[in-house]
Amino acid sequence: MDNEENFEDSEIRMWKTKLVWAWIFTLPIAIIMLSDRIFGISLFSDKIMTIVLLALGAPVVFIVGFSTIKSGIRGYYTFYFNMDSLIALGTVIAYFTGIFSIFYPLQDYSGISSMIMAFFVSGKYIEANAKGRATQEIRKLIELGAKKAKIIIGKTEKEVPIEEISIGDIMIVRPGEKIPLDGIVIRGESAVDESMITGESMPVDKKIKSQVIGATINQDGILYVKATKIGSNTFLAHIIQLVEETQSTKVPIQKIADKITSIFVPTILTIALLSFGNWLFFTGDISKALGISVAVLVIACPCSLGLATPTALMVGSGIGARKGILIRKGEAIQTMKEISTFVLDKTGTITQGKPEVTEVRAFGKNSEYRVLKIASSIENLSEHPIGRAIVSHAKLNKYAHVGNFKIVRGKGVRGVINGKSICVGNKALMRENGISTERVESVLHSYESSGKTTMLVSENKEIIGFIAVADKIKEDSLEAISELKRSGYEIAMITGDNEATARSIANQVGINKVISGVLPEGKAEEVVKMQKSGMVAFVGDGINDAPALKQANVGIAMGTGTDIAIEAGDIVLTSGSLSGAVKAAKLSKATFRKIKQNLFWAFAYNVIAVPFAVSGFIHPVIAEIAMAASSITVITNANLLRRVKI
């Protein structure tokens, strides 16, 4: 992966270096030509100026543009024409007019050749950055894993590199540490944050014989884990493989310009040759014939074509950046217009991705404040995320003293406050301590069926209230989903959560199609199924979403999520707001419209002016002006994108 990363970085650096050198030589050429042709100030005599332009242009055309010209020339003998074919044709012919002008009375266009190449190189540099580093998400996935682990050797504890661990080794994982590799708990109890793998916001309680996954984070207890999978067999390695496979099978969108140039290039070449032959045959004037064919070639030079897509993409991406939408891959702009279904991850995308207290309820003479104070005082000694949510909600300056504090793994906590026995936890904890839950069963059922976790609070074996905790919906999720539906998109929600929780969230935001209990590889598989009936955009934020983000026709990643999800996405929403997906869809469509319009204007001048050039009515200088005008039109039209409201 390091080699791939270095190759991608070097490609970006290569185009940047070419861009700098191209403009170092092209800017003096532009100054010389503008001084002479616009302001009438001749810095040199005609022949000397031609020699200067040829000298300055040679490095741009034949050194900076060597690979482009080589690729373009290949198109002529393989009959596979692309953008390079146009660039090679335009720059070489324009450059050699300068050499011919020294010996024949021809217009010198050698200065134009370096300008064409400089604009083309600028576009390639923009394109290299827009594509992003296609495999960097793989590197980020690899970095998620622990680099070292503490294992037991005999009776001692030793820290070793992850590569030295063998199946059967016992790993010690303390609170806050990453679990090094997949394994099984042989001693200890703890809650483990698996959200980066499963997408579940709630931590999973682990005890003896529980399976754990490498790269997940241990929360509040020491675990002794026997390694059961190493190397390429681990769960994380499997996720990496899924992303790699999806990436390799995703066919790049064929560029519109390439489709057009495959016909345009041979057509223009044929027209230029026929024009030269006809004028030479009928007039016998080689200078006139060559001048007309040069006019045809110059007016067909693809300066504006090279700018058509990059300029619209630059303006669109700039607008997006100001609105929290980062377009990482240009293909997404074209693909977005064909999207029929939006698939939304639940945790961290529709919801906030972390547990929060939604309600505090008291029974009897107890107040909600008293229930919350008792619960937060005892939970203040716990590191469990649900306990942290309760403490955060209480916001007390002073907590009651707790004695005999004990964590009951998977059930809750208990202790003594002011001589009274306190329990905070689920029904299993209450029953274990001989506390009846009969009076609250119906209430608990209604809360749990709506996807909320309820923590009962008891005092001296009597339930005094409960606290409901849930992963709350983001403020704008309902509005964003409603707008997507109004725009004609089908909406589906996919999650690793259970059916009850998933259905509850879906009902709140108006989503009918729900796919729950899905593992990471399952998400990508579900996307494949939906792609059979249309193009799919996937919106997600977790590591578990990476394969689906890559599989989808357009992957939209929440910028508040993990780095791997961001790198796997074609579009990134930096604000983490689902409304950004609506804006991204509108912006992509608007930008693609501008690209199409730019391509139209890039060729409109050719369609109108080439016949006049063939007829001898357009002087090569006018052809040059028309070519420049087409570029100005393209740039101006791209900037009109700023007026679009998204």
Side-chain angles (χ1 to χ4, degrees), residues 15 22-23 26 59-62 64-66 68-69 87-88 91 112-123 303:
W15 285 113
W23 285 107
T26 301
V60 179
V61 176
F62 298 110
V64 172
F66 176 76
T68 301
I69 291 175
I87 297 298
T91 54
I112 294 297
S113 64
S114 59
M115 292 184 183
I116 294 170
M117 186 59 71
F119 276 119
F120 176 73
V121 170
S122 300
C303 230

PDB file of all heavy atoms in Angstrom, residues 15 22-23 26 59-62 64-66 68-69 87-88 91 112-123 303:
ATOM      1  N   TRP A  15       2.324  16.582 -11.889  1.00  0.00           N
ATOM      2  CA  TRP A  15       1.528  17.566 -12.616  1.00  0.00           C
ATOM      3  C   TRP A  15       1.721  18.970 -12.064  1.00  0.00           C
ATOM      4  O   TRP A  15       1.686  19.955 -12.819  1.00  0.00           O
ATOM      5  CB  TRP A  15       0.046  17.183 -12.594  1.00  0.00           C
ATOM      6  CG  TRP A  15      -0.272  16.046 -13.513  1.00  0.00           C
ATOM      7  CD1 TRP A  15      -0.678  14.794 -13.181  1.00  0.00           C
ATOM      8  CD2 TRP A  15      -0.183  16.061 -14.941  1.00  0.00           C
ATOM      9  NE1 TRP A  15      -0.843  14.021 -14.298  1.00  0.00           N
ATOM     10  CE2 TRP A  15      -0.553  14.772 -15.404  1.00  0.00           C
ATOM     11  CE3 TRP A  15       0.169  17.026 -15.885  1.00  0.00           C
ATOM     12  CZ2 TRP A  15      -0.587  14.444 -16.749  1.00  0.00           C
ATOM     13  CZ3 TRP A  15       0.139  16.693 -17.230  1.00  0.00           C
ATOM     14  CH2 TRP A  15      -0.231  15.421 -17.650  1.00  0.00           C
ATOM     15  N   ALA A  22       5.574  25.009 -16.960  1.00  0.00           N
ATOM     16  CA  ALA A  22       4.835  25.424 -18.157  1.00  0.00           C
ATOM     17  C   ALA A  22       4.544  26.916 -18.122  1.00  0.00           C
ATOM     18  O   ALA A  22       4.752  27.640 -19.107  1.00  0.00           O
ATOM     19  CB  ALA A  22       3.542  24.628 -18.280  1.00  0.00           C
ATOM     20  N   TRP A  23       4.081  27.403 -16.961  1.00  0.00           N
ATOM     21  CA  TRP A  23       3.718  28.819 -16.874  1.00  0.00           C
ATOM     22  C   TRP A  23       4.929  29.734 -16.725  1.00  0.00           C
ATOM     23  O   TRP A  23       4.861  30.911 -17.076  1.00  0.00           O
ATOM     24  CB  TRP A  23       2.722  29.031 -15.743  1.00  0.00           C
ATOM     25  CG  TRP A  23       1.350  28.548 -16.119  1.00  0.00           C
ATOM     26  CD1 TRP A  23       0.701  27.443 -15.684  1.00  0.00           C
ATOM     27  CD2 TRP A  23       0.471  29.163 -17.068  1.00  0.00           C
ATOM     28  NE1 TRP A  23      -0.521  27.314 -16.281  1.00  0.00           N
ATOM     29  CE2 TRP A  23      -0.696  28.363 -17.141  1.00  0.00           C
ATOM     30  CE3 TRP A  23       0.554  30.301 -17.867  1.00  0.00           C
ATOM     31  CZ2 TRP A  23      -1.762  28.667 -17.969  1.00  0.00           C
ATOM     32  CZ3 TRP A  23      -0.513  30.616 -18.702  1.00  0.00           C
ATOM     33  CH2 TRP A  23      -1.655  29.800 -18.752  1.00  0.00           C
ATOM     34  N   THR A  26       5.492  30.158 -20.341  1.00  0.00           N
ATOM     35  CA  THR A  26       4.343  30.639 -21.110  1.00  0.00           C
ATOM     36  C   THR A  26       4.005  32.097 -20.804  1.00  0.00           C
ATOM     37  O   THR A  26       3.580  32.838 -21.695  1.00  0.00           O
ATOM     38  CB  THR A  26       3.113  29.741 -20.844  1.00  0.00           C
ATOM     39  OG1 THR A  26       3.428  28.402 -21.208  1.00  0.00           O
ATOM     40  CG2 THR A  26       1.905  30.207 -21.645  1.00  0.00           C
ATOM     41  N   PRO A  59      10.497  24.125 -24.492  1.00  0.00           N
ATOM     42  CA  PRO A  59      10.441  23.346 -23.238  1.00  0.00           C
ATOM     43  C   PRO A  59       9.010  22.990 -22.830  1.00  0.00           C
ATOM     44  O   PRO A  59       8.765  21.909 -22.285  1.00  0.00           O
ATOM     45  CB  PRO A  59      11.094  24.275 -22.207  1.00  0.00           C
ATOM     46  CG  PRO A  59      11.911  25.230 -23.008  1.00  0.00           C
ATOM     47  CD  PRO A  59      11.171  25.422 -24.283  1.00  0.00           C
ATOM     48  N   VAL A  60       8.072  23.901 -23.097  1.00  0.00           N
ATOM     49  CA  VAL A  60       6.674  23.659 -22.706  1.00  0.00           C
ATOM     50  C   VAL A  60       6.073  22.539 -23.553  1.00  0.00           C
ATOM     51  O   VAL A  60       5.436  21.616 -23.038  1.00  0.00           O
ATOM     52  CB  VAL A  60       5.831  24.946 -22.854  1.00  0.00           C
ATOM     53  CG1 VAL A  60       4.377  24.680 -22.458  1.00  0.00           C
ATOM     54  CG2 VAL A  60       6.418  26.062 -22.006  1.00  0.00           C
ATOM     55  N   VAL A  61       6.295  22.630 -24.856  1.00  0.00           N
ATOM     56  CA  VAL A  61       5.678  21.665 -25.768  1.00  0.00           C
ATOM     57  C   VAL A  61       6.378  20.310 -25.736  1.00  0.00           C
ATOM     58  O   VAL A  61       5.731  19.262 -25.637  1.00  0.00           O
ATOM     59  CB  VAL A  61       5.673  22.224 -27.208  1.00  0.00           C
ATOM     60  CG1 VAL A  61       5.123  21.175 -28.184  1.00  0.00           C
ATOM     61  CG2 VAL A  61       4.840  23.493 -27.282  1.00  0.00           C
ATOM     62  N   PHE A  62       7.709  20.317 -25.784  1.00  0.00           N
ATOM     63  CA  PHE A  62       8.430  19.066 -25.996  1.00  0.00           C
ATOM     64  C   PHE A  62       9.065  18.455 -24.739  1.00  0.00           C
ATOM     65  O   PHE A  62       9.497  17.305 -24.775  1.00  0.00           O
ATOM     66  CB  PHE A  62       9.517  19.275 -27.062  1.00  0.00           C
ATOM     67  CG  PHE A  62       8.953  19.675 -28.391  1.00  0.00           C
ATOM     68  CD1 PHE A  62       9.138  20.963 -28.873  1.00  0.00           C
ATOM     69  CD2 PHE A  62       8.210  18.781 -29.146  1.00  0.00           C
ATOM     70  CE1 PHE A  62       8.608  21.334 -30.098  1.00  0.00           C
ATOM     71  CE2 PHE A  62       7.672  19.153 -30.370  1.00  0.00           C
ATOM     72  CZ  PHE A  62       7.869  20.437 -30.855  1.00  0.00           C
ATOM     73  N   VAL A  64       7.776  19.555 -21.065  1.00  0.00           N
ATOM     74  CA  VAL A  64       6.604  19.457 -20.180  1.00  0.00           C
ATOM     75  C   VAL A  64       5.521  18.596 -20.833  1.00  0.00           C
ATOM     76  O   VAL A  64       4.882  17.765 -20.194  1.00  0.00           O
ATOM     77  CB  VAL A  64       6.058  20.860 -19.849  1.00  0.00           C
ATOM     78  CG1 VAL A  64       4.737  20.753 -19.097  1.00  0.00           C
ATOM     79  CG2 VAL A  64       7.063  21.654 -19.038  1.00  0.00           C
ATOM     80  N   GLY A  65       5.330  18.788 -22.139  1.00  0.00           N
ATOM     81  CA  GLY A  65       4.248  18.077 -22.835  1.00  0.00           C
ATOM     82  C   GLY A  65       4.663  16.805 -23.533  1.00  0.00           C
ATOM     83  O   GLY A  65       3.878  16.258 -24.326  1.00  0.00           O
ATOM     84  N   PHE A  66       5.881  16.289 -23.232  1.00  0.00           N
ATOM     85  CA  PHE A  66       6.371  15.112 -23.946  1.00  0.00           C
ATOM     86  C   PHE A  66       5.432  13.912 -23.810  1.00  0.00           C
ATOM     87  O   PHE A  66       5.063  13.270 -24.795  1.00  0.00           O
ATOM     88  CB  PHE A  66       7.769  14.736 -23.445  1.00  0.00           C
ATOM     89  CG  PHE A  66       8.306  13.470 -24.063  1.00  0.00           C
ATOM     90  CD1 PHE A  66       8.777  13.471 -25.363  1.00  0.00           C
ATOM     91  CD2 PHE A  66       8.312  12.274 -23.347  1.00  0.00           C
ATOM     92  CE1 PHE A  66       9.256  12.293 -25.944  1.00  0.00           C
ATOM     93  CE2 PHE A  66       8.781  11.101 -23.916  1.00  0.00           C
ATOM     94  CZ  PHE A  66       9.260  11.113 -25.223  1.00  0.00           C
ATOM     95  N   THR A  68       2.324  13.826 -23.056  1.00  0.00           N
ATOM     96  CA  THR A  68       1.031  14.099 -23.684  1.00  0.00           C
ATOM     97  C   THR A  68       1.120  13.928 -25.200  1.00  0.00           C
ATOM     98  O   THR A  68       0.254  13.305 -25.826  1.00  0.00           O
ATOM     99  CB  THR A  68       0.576  15.525 -23.343  1.00  0.00           C
ATOM    100  OG1 THR A  68       0.480  15.661 -21.930  1.00  0.00           O
ATOM    101  CG2 THR A  68      -0.774  15.833 -23.976  1.00  0.00           C
ATOM    102  N   ILE A  69       2.175  14.476 -25.791  1.00  0.00           N
ATOM    103  CA  ILE A  69       2.352  14.368 -27.239  1.00  0.00           C
ATOM    104  C   ILE A  69       2.588  12.909 -27.645  1.00  0.00           C
ATOM    105  O   ILE A  69       2.045  12.425 -28.639  1.00  0.00           O
ATOM    106  CB  ILE A  69       3.523  15.259 -27.701  1.00  0.00           C
ATOM    107  CG1 ILE A  69       3.119  16.728 -27.543  1.00  0.00           C
ATOM    108  CG2 ILE A  69       3.898  14.960 -29.146  1.00  0.00           C
ATOM    109  CD1 ILE A  69       4.219  17.714 -27.846  1.00  0.00           C
ATOM    110  N   ILE A  87      -4.627  17.614 -28.055  1.00  0.00           N
ATOM    111  CA  ILE A  87      -3.572  18.483 -27.542  1.00  0.00           C
ATOM    112  C   ILE A  87      -2.308  18.335 -28.390  1.00  0.00           C
ATOM    113  O   ILE A  87      -1.668  19.318 -28.768  1.00  0.00           O
ATOM    114  CB  ILE A  87      -3.254  18.154 -26.068  1.00  0.00           C
ATOM    115  CG1 ILE A  87      -4.484  18.420 -25.192  1.00  0.00           C
ATOM    116  CG2 ILE A  87      -2.077  18.975 -25.560  1.00  0.00           C
ATOM    117  CD1 ILE A  87      -4.939  19.856 -25.182  1.00  0.00           C
ATOM    118  N   ALA A  88      -1.932  17.090 -28.676  1.00  0.00           N
ATOM    119  CA  ALA A  88      -0.732  16.848 -29.485  1.00  0.00           C
ATOM    120  C   ALA A  88      -0.870  17.490 -30.863  1.00  0.00           C
ATOM    121  O   ALA A  88       0.057  18.145 -31.361  1.00  0.00           O
ATOM    122  CB  ALA A  88      -0.493  15.344 -29.618  1.00  0.00           C
ATOM    123  N   THR A  91      -0.863  21.538 -30.466  1.00  0.00           N
ATOM    124  CA  THR A  91       0.399  22.143 -30.057  1.00  0.00           C
ATOM    125  C   THR A  91       1.502  21.955 -31.096  1.00  0.00           C
ATOM    126  O   THR A  91       2.246  22.891 -31.399  1.00  0.00           O
ATOM    127  CB  THR A  91       0.874  21.558 -28.710  1.00  0.00           C
ATOM    128  OG1 THR A  91       0.918  20.128 -28.795  1.00  0.00           O
ATOM    129  CG2 THR A  91      -0.038  21.964 -27.579  1.00  0.00           C
ATOM    130  N   ILE A 112       1.073  30.224 -29.443  1.00  0.00           N
ATOM    131  CA  ILE A 112      -0.198  29.612 -29.045  1.00  0.00           C
ATOM    132  C   ILE A 112       0.025  28.183 -28.561  1.00  0.00           C
ATOM    133  O   ILE A 112      -0.666  27.699 -27.654  1.00  0.00           O
ATOM    134  CB  ILE A 112      -1.176  29.608 -30.239  1.00  0.00           C
ATOM    135  CG1 ILE A 112      -1.568  31.038 -30.609  1.00  0.00           C
ATOM    136  CG2 ILE A 112      -2.420  28.791 -29.911  1.00  0.00           C
ATOM    137  CD1 ILE A 112      -2.313  31.771 -29.542  1.00  0.00           C
ATOM    138  N   SER A 113       1.008  27.488 -29.133  1.00  0.00           N
ATOM    139  CA  SER A 113       1.235  26.080 -28.780  1.00  0.00           C
ATOM    140  C   SER A 113       1.541  25.920 -27.295  1.00  0.00           C
ATOM    141  O   SER A 113       1.033  25.007 -26.633  1.00  0.00           O
ATOM    142  CB  SER A 113       2.378  25.504 -29.617  1.00  0.00           C
ATOM    143  OG  SER A 113       3.596  26.165 -29.328  1.00  0.00           O
ATOM    144  N   SER A 114       2.388  26.797 -26.760  1.00  0.00           N
ATOM    145  CA  SER A 114       2.728  26.689 -25.330  1.00  0.00           C
ATOM    146  C   SER A 114       1.537  27.034 -24.459  1.00  0.00           C
ATOM    147  O   SER A 114       1.365  26.471 -23.369  1.00  0.00           O
ATOM    148  CB  SER A 114       3.915  27.592 -24.993  1.00  0.00           C
ATOM    149  OG  SER A 114       3.619  28.933 -25.299  1.00  0.00           O
ATOM    150  N   MET A 115       0.690  27.969 -24.915  1.00  0.00           N
ATOM    151  CA  MET A 115      -0.512  28.314 -24.138  1.00  0.00           C
ATOM    152  C   MET A 115      -1.466  27.127 -24.056  1.00  0.00           C
ATOM    153  O   MET A 115      -2.039  26.843 -23.008  1.00  0.00           O
ATOM    154  CB  MET A 115      -1.220  29.513 -24.776  1.00  0.00           C
ATOM    155  CG  MET A 115      -0.453  30.815 -24.676  1.00  0.00           C
ATOM    156  SD  MET A 115      -1.390  32.198 -25.348  1.00  0.00           S
ATOM    157  CE  MET A 115      -0.185  33.517 -25.147  1.00  0.00           C
ATOM    158  N   ILE A 116      -1.636  26.439 -25.193  1.00  0.00           N
ATOM    159  CA  ILE A 116      -2.502  25.256 -25.204  1.00  0.00           C
ATOM    160  C   ILE A 116      -1.994  24.225 -24.197  1.00  0.00           C
ATOM    161  O   ILE A 116      -2.755  23.693 -23.385  1.00  0.00           O
ATOM    162  CB  ILE A 116      -2.557  24.631 -26.610  1.00  0.00           C
ATOM    163  CG1 ILE A 116      -3.239  25.593 -27.586  1.00  0.00           C
ATOM    164  CG2 ILE A 116      -3.291  23.289 -26.578  1.00  0.00           C
ATOM    165  CD1 ILE A 116      -3.131  25.154 -29.035  1.00  0.00           C
ATOM    166  N   MET A 117      -0.678  23.965 -24.243  1.00  0.00           N
ATOM    167  CA  MET A 117      -0.111  22.957 -23.344  1.00  0.00           C
ATOM    168  C   MET A 117      -0.193  23.398 -21.886  1.00  0.00           C
ATOM    169  O   MET A 117      -0.467  22.585 -21.002  1.00  0.00           O
ATOM    170  CB  MET A 117       1.341  22.670 -23.728  1.00  0.00           C
ATOM    171  CG  MET A 117       1.970  21.529 -22.939  1.00  0.00           C
ATOM    172  SD  MET A 117       1.076  19.949 -23.125  1.00  0.00           S
ATOM    173  CE  MET A 117       1.491  19.538 -24.817  1.00  0.00           C
ATOM    174  N   ALA A 118       0.027  24.685 -21.628  1.00  0.00           N
ATOM    175  CA  ALA A 118      -0.028  25.186 -20.249  1.00  0.00           C
ATOM    176  C   ALA A 118      -1.434  25.037 -19.669  1.00  0.00           C
ATOM    177  O   ALA A 118      -1.611  24.624 -18.517  1.00  0.00           O
ATOM    178  CB  ALA A 118       0.417  26.644 -20.195  1.00  0.00           C
ATOM    179  N   PHE A 119      -2.452  25.372 -20.478  1.00  0.00           N
ATOM    180  CA  PHE A 119      -3.827  25.209 -20.019  1.00  0.00           C
ATOM    181  C   PHE A 119      -4.154  23.735 -19.782  1.00  0.00           C
ATOM    182  O   PHE A 119      -4.837  23.377 -18.817  1.00  0.00           O
ATOM    183  CB  PHE A 119      -4.810  25.805 -21.040  1.00  0.00           C
ATOM    184  CG  PHE A 119      -5.012  27.279 -20.899  1.00  0.00           C
ATOM    185  CD1 PHE A 119      -4.684  28.141 -21.933  1.00  0.00           C
ATOM    186  CD2 PHE A 119      -5.528  27.812 -19.735  1.00  0.00           C
ATOM    187  CE1 PHE A 119      -4.873  29.513 -21.806  1.00  0.00           C
ATOM    188  CE2 PHE A 119      -5.733  29.177 -19.596  1.00  0.00           C
ATOM    189  CZ  PHE A 119      -5.394  30.033 -20.631  1.00  0.00           C
ATOM    190  N   PHE A 120      -3.670  22.887 -20.682  1.00  0.00           N
ATOM    191  CA  PHE A 120      -3.934  21.455 -20.544  1.00  0.00           C
ATOM    192  C   PHE A 120      -3.303  20.893 -19.269  1.00  0.00           C
ATOM    193  O   PHE A 120      -3.941  20.142 -18.524  1.00  0.00           O
ATOM    194  CB  PHE A 120      -3.382  20.713 -21.767  1.00  0.00           C
ATOM    195  CG  PHE A 120      -3.510  19.218 -21.676  1.00  0.00           C
ATOM    196  CD1 PHE A 120      -4.740  18.610 -21.816  1.00  0.00           C
ATOM    197  CD2 PHE A 120      -2.399  18.422 -21.438  1.00  0.00           C
ATOM    198  CE1 PHE A 120      -4.876  17.228 -21.730  1.00  0.00           C
ATOM    199  CE2 PHE A 120      -2.516  17.050 -21.350  1.00  0.00           C
ATOM    200  CZ  PHE A 120      -3.756  16.451 -21.499  1.00  0.00           C
ATOM    201  N   VAL A 121      -2.054  21.256 -19.008  1.00  0.00           N
ATOM    202  CA  VAL A 121      -1.365  20.789 -17.802  1.00  0.00           C
ATOM    203  C   VAL A 121      -2.081  21.292 -16.545  1.00  0.00           C
ATOM    204  O   VAL A 121      -2.203  20.563 -15.554  1.00  0.00           O
ATOM    205  CB  VAL A 121       0.110  21.246 -17.820  1.00  0.00           C
ATOM    206  CG1 VAL A 121       0.772  20.995 -16.468  1.00  0.00           C
ATOM    207  CG2 VAL A 121       0.874  20.523 -18.916  1.00  0.00           C
ATOM    208  N   SER A 122      -2.563  22.529 -16.591  1.00  0.00           N
ATOM    209  CA  SER A 122      -3.319  23.062 -15.445  1.00  0.00           C
ATOM    210  C   SER A 122      -4.557  22.212 -15.185  1.00  0.00           C
ATOM    211  O   SER A 122      -4.880  21.893 -14.038  1.00  0.00           O
ATOM    212  CB  SER A 122      -3.736  24.519 -15.715  1.00  0.00           C
ATOM    213  OG  SER A 122      -2.609  25.339 -15.914  1.00  0.00           O
ATOM    214  N   GLY A 123      -5.244  21.834 -16.255  1.00  0.00           N
ATOM    215  CA  GLY A 123      -6.423  20.982 -16.110  1.00  0.00           C
ATOM    216  C   GLY A 123      -6.092  19.621 -15.542  1.00  0.00           C
ATOM    217  O   GLY A 123      -6.832  19.089 -14.713  1.00  0.00           O
ATOM    218  N   CYS A 303      -8.369  24.199 -26.473  1.00  0.00           N
ATOM    219  CA  CYS A 303      -8.097  24.973 -25.260  1.00  0.00           C
ATOM    220  C   CYS A 303      -9.333  24.988 -24.356  1.00  0.00           C
ATOM    221  O   CYS A 303      -9.269  24.661 -23.174  1.00  0.00           O
ATOM    222  CB  CYS A 303      -7.716  26.401 -25.643  1.00  0.00           C
ATOM    223  SG  CYS A 303      -6.225  26.985 -24.854  1.00  0.00           S
TER     224      CYS A 303
END
